Amino acid sequence: MPIDWKQYRSEGFYDEIIGPRGGPRRSARHLARHLAQMDAAELTARQAAADLAITEMGITFTVYCDESGGAIDRAWPFDIIPRIIPESEWRRVEEGLKQRVTALNLFIDDLYHEQKVVRDGVFPEAVLKSSSNFRPQCVGVDPPYGVWAHICGSDLVRDADGTFYVLEDNLRVPSGVSYMLENRLVTKRVFPELFEDYAPLPVDDYPSQLFDTLATLSPRPADYPEVVVLTPGIYNSAYFEHAYLAQQMGCELVEGRDLFVDDDDCVYMRTVDGPARVDVIYRRVDDLFLDPEAFRPDSMLGVPGLLRAWKAGNVGLANAPGAGVADDKVVYSYVPELIRYYLDQDPVIPNVPTLRCMEPEVLKHVLTNLDTLVVKPANESGGYGMIVGPASTQKEREAFAVQLRKDPRNYIAQPTLRLSTVPTVVDSQVEPRHVDLRPFILSADRQYVTTGGLTRVALRRGSLVVNSSQGGGSKDTWIVPQGEE
């Protein structure tokens, strides 16, 4: 039986494809009409074709453990129905993302220099002192252009009224951009005919944009830079992405053991032709494991002396060590004030209303209302360590409350959002599933924002958890020039 959009219901939520009266949004009319011509068998066949393409293309992600324990690779979960956003709406989002990352970089640079934001009472000294990602080793360092977070992935959500909100900022080693690129390729293979009606803005220039951004960090600007991607290795959950980006940029993929810092405080790569100097490192290794000489001495992943080489200006590092001080969900709650403080502007994209559990009265409120709130640790990612109140049991809330009382500085609370939905293929039918969106912002001598980003989808009915490590999937995201609501 063909899809009947009149039977499609996303009650109380903003649906990205179907409007509140049951008809498709203007920008999605061709898509809705095309899908309505398909029956269950064809939908199933198209989804199977996508799954086969993903297997053939070797698109995987790694979860650190399953019920049997141990790291395992899984095929990337992908839904064939794309999400569509009109370009005119997207340009406003793009403006807001650039504004946000500009303020965050000014904030990080300020923290490692004068700390005016603290002295002026805009940002609490207590939050800075208790930050687990502030690196005293980076105080006084001047990275090129004053930029610390060269690659940022900010998570966006829409609430029931269709307004975009920033849910969090990822400034350490944000992942997912490779899946954004591969999703487009798979969609083209599965729905080639759709591209006769649509011309979604391209995303395939990201690797060249990334390389150009990294190249500007080279200490030898007159030469073609030697750029490498530093990975923790094959057991990292994002290893596919590390290898993919290195291959797309035409760079070497290296591990810490492949590099060394010589007596001249320069970084070299071991090659069959002898040492080759490295100019820029796109590091996908966390700060604490980056350099055993400066951080954890037991790290087997890093390069001894790397921080010394960076401080001497002999190598570019992206993201810079210490950038994670702003990748803290408590810091996130201050971003609107930081935008006003550093840029004298109002935020273009609002934050999700956020409660800081470190404030005693707020903590009391959160503990009383755990069943209605989403509570997250300040420095975790991947959906780990959080509780979604309405989906939790009394036993889970009691156990979580113990953790919360022990370390309230480490938690923020947010209302349970009514995340927007997108039609998704489920058992040969189409049902609404909740989504978020992670665009990527590059910063150095200029800024670049991906046209769209990675749409993550909660594949389980009613679930709001979109992380792939928690059972989520993804969709292609189309920014289309035609049509407005």
Side-chain angles (χ1 to χ4, degrees):
M1 179 182 295
I3 297 172
D4 181 1
W5 290 115
K6 292 179 181 176
Q7 302 300 317
Y8 177 86
R9 291 286 183 272
S10 183
E11 302 291 351
F13 301 100
Y14 182 96
D15 192 88
E16 305 277 346
I17 301 297
I18 304 300
R21 297 179 182 175
R25 298 187 185 277
R26 183 175 176 183
S27 56
R29 283 177 186 167
H30 289 300
L31 173 66
R33 191 181 307 133
H34 191 76
L35 292 173
Q37 297 169 356
M38 295 184 177
D39 57 19
E42 184 161 6
L43 264 184
T44 302
R46 300 272 184 146
Q47 184 65 56
D51 295 341
L52 179 61
I54 286 169
T55 301
E56 288 177 342
M57 295 161 74
I59 310 171
T60 64
F61 75 106
T62 302
V63 292
Y64 287 121
C65 62
D66 65 357
E67 292 177 356
S68 60
I72 59 170
D73 282 333
R74 291 180 179 171
W76 178 243
F78 173 75
D79 182 79
I80 58 175
I81 300 178
R83 171 198 202 154
I84 294 181
I85 301 172
E87 183 183 6
S88 57
E89 182 182 24
W90 181 252
R91 294 304 175 199
R92 182 71 174 163
V93 173
E94 181 184 53
E95 178 189 353
L97 292 170
K98 288 180 177 178
Q99 176 196 56
R100 190 174 186 91
V101 174
T102 299
L104 284 168
N105 271 306
L106 290 168
F107 170 67
I108 299 168
D109 199 56
D110 188 15
L111 290 186
Y112 288 111
H113 290 86
E114 299 178 61
Q115 299 188 354
K116 289 193 298 184
V117 70
V118 175
R119 291 207 312 270
D120 289 343
V122 176
F123 186 76
E125 184 176 18
V127 177
L128 177 59
K129 284 187 172 178
S130 57
S131 169
S132 59
N133 290 312
F134 181 79
R135 306 284 175 237
Q137 300 91 332
C138 299
V139 170
V141 177
D142 294 308
Y145 315 108
V147 172
W148 294 73
H150 308 92
I151 301 104
C152 175
S154 291
D155 292 343
L156 304 178
V157 294
R158 278 196 210 257
D159 207 350
D161 63 357
T163 302
F164 272 114
Y165 293 85
V166 178
L167 185 63
E168 64 184 54
D169 303 293
N170 300 282
L171 298 100
R172 285 177 285 182
V173 284
S175 296
V177 75
S178 60
Y179 300 116
M180 175 194 78
L181 299 170
E182 294 285 49
N183 285 352
R184 179 62 52 84
L185 294 178
V186 174
T187 304
K188 284 181 176 177
R189 291 175 66 160
V190 174
F191 280 131
E193 70 277 14
L194 271 180
F195 289 81
E196 296 175 4
D197 294 319
Y198 284 104
L201 298 185
V203 294
D204 56 2
D205 64 337
Y206 180 81
S208 62
Q209 295 283 352
L210 175 61
F211 181 86
D212 290 347
T213 297
L214 296 172
T216 63
L217 309 181
S218 173
R220 299 187 296 173
D223 298 328
Y224 190 82
E226 183 72 65
V227 178
V228 301
V229 177
L230 175 61
T231 176
I234 60 172
Y235 296 109
N236 186 269
S237 64
Y239 181 75
F240 168 83
E241 176 154 301
H242 305 163
Y244 179 87
L245 290 176
Q247 190 268 336
Q248 291 293 310
M249 290 193 291
C251 299
E252 296 290 342
L253 177 68
V254 299
E255 297 184 25
R257 60 191 174 185
D258 299 319
L259 305 177
F260 67 95
V261 178
D262 215 336
D263 293 339
D264 58 358
D265 282 350
C266 293
V267 181
Y268 294 90
M269 174 171 50
R270 295 182 172 90
T271 77
V272 292
D273 297 321
R277 183 169 169 186
V278 172
D279 297 302
V280 184
I281 300 173
Y282 178 22
R283 57 97 175 196
R284 300 296 295 257
V285 175
D286 287 339
D287 279 359
L288 293 179
F289 298 92
L290 196 58
D291 177 358
E293 191 179 287
F295 301 114
R296 284 186 55 154
D298 60 338
S299 171
M300 303 294 286
L301 303 176
V303 184
L306 188 55
L307 200 73
R308 179 161 35 89
W310 175 61
K311 285 183 172 182
N314 293 332
V315 69
L317 284 178
N319 283 334
V325 68
D327 187 349
D328 178 317
K329 293 181 180 63
V330 176
V331 173
Y332 154 87
S333 70
Y334 287 95
V335 172
E337 287 93 331
L338 298 179
I339 290 172
R340 295 186 185 96
Y341 177 73
Y342 289 109
L343 304 178
D344 193 23
Q345 299 171 0
D346 289 326
V348 174
I349 313 174
N351 268 19
V352 174
T354 301
L355 301 171
R356 301 168 190 133
C357 298
M358 62 185 184
E359 298 168 8
E361 287 303 314
V362 170
L363 176 61
K364 194 182 300 180
H365 172 80
V366 172
L367 287 168
T368 306
N369 295 279
L370 266 182
D371 59 332
T372 64
L373 296 168
V374 177
V375 188
K376 305 173 183 176
N379 292 295
E380 288 286 351
S381 59
Y384 293 104
M386 62 185 282
I387 188 167
V388 180
S392 65
T393 64
Q394 179 66 26
K395 187 177 179 182
E396 288 169 337
R397 291 194 290 274
E398 288 173 0
F400 197 87
V402 173
Q403 299 300 318
L404 193 50
R405 288 191 183 95
K406 277 184 184 174
D407 187 11
R409 156 64 177 89
N410 193 41
Y411 291 93
I412 55 111
Q414 295 172 326
T416 306
L417 299 173
R418 303 181 66 79
L419 299 189
S420 63
T421 58
V422 178
T424 301
V425 178
V426 180
D427 296 332
S428 304
Q429 298 297 318
V430 171
E431 296 182 4
R433 290 292 185 269
H434 297 292
V435 294
D436 76 350
L437 178 63
R438 176 175 291 181
F440 295 85
I441 308 100
L442 302 178
S443 304
D445 59 337
R446 60 187 174 82
Q447 287 181 306
Y448 164 86
V449 181
T450 51
T451 44
L454 176 67
T455 287
R456 301 184 298 177
V457 53
L459 293 175
R460 287 192 284 268
R461 184 197 297 267
S463 173
L464 300 174
V465 181
V466 298
N467 308 77
S468 53
S469 54
Q470 307 290 322
S474 72
K475 288 173 167 289
D476 194 7
T477 308
W478 291 6
I479 307 300
V480 296
Q482 74 271 31
E484 293 187 50
E485 291 306 302

